[in-house]
Amino acid sequence: MKKDNVVKIKSTDFAVRIIQLVKHLTQKIPYAEHAICTQLLKSGTSIGANVREAEHAESREDFIHKLKVALKEANETEYWLEIFYRAELLTREQYESVNSD
């Protein structure tokens, strides 16, 4: 991975953190709530996937579109993290740790 692509690096690192968080959550919460873990996993890892797709966009418009999709996925991920926090499935420390810049 090139060191100069900060967005690519951060989105990949974030995806790994989301995977680790979901793994932790699914071990401690009831099975019925695993569906929302899946939503968090999908949106949190999709950010980086869309950033990667943007690298090979077919046009400037395609590049912008793919990054807009990544932004939408980031917004959805932020929503799921807030839900987990407000439902007391994440501590404030956990929530702030994964929801920080």
Side-chain angles (χ1 to χ4, degrees), residues 3-45:
K3 291 185 181 183
D4 59 341
N5 190 332
V6 176
V7 174
K8 185 175 173 180
I9 293 166
K10 284 190 171 211
S11 62
T12 301
D13 290 347
F14 184 73
V16 171
R17 289 188 72 199
I18 290 294
I19 292 167
Q20 292 168 340
L21 176 61
V22 168
K23 183 178 177 182
H24 167 75
L25 287 170
T26 55
Q27 292 172 354
K28 78 171 209 169
I29 65 174
Y31 181 75
E33 294 163 341
H34 285 203
I36 59 174
C37 284
T38 301
Q39 292 298 120
L40 174 62
L41 183 65
K42 286 180 179 181
S43 64
T45 57

Side-chain angles (χ1 to χ4, degrees), residues 74-86:
N75 187 51
E76 180 181 342
T77 302
E78 184 176 41
Y79 167 79
W80 290 118
L81 290 170
E82 183 180 341
I83 294 298
F84 276 95
Y85 173 66
R86 291 178 63 182

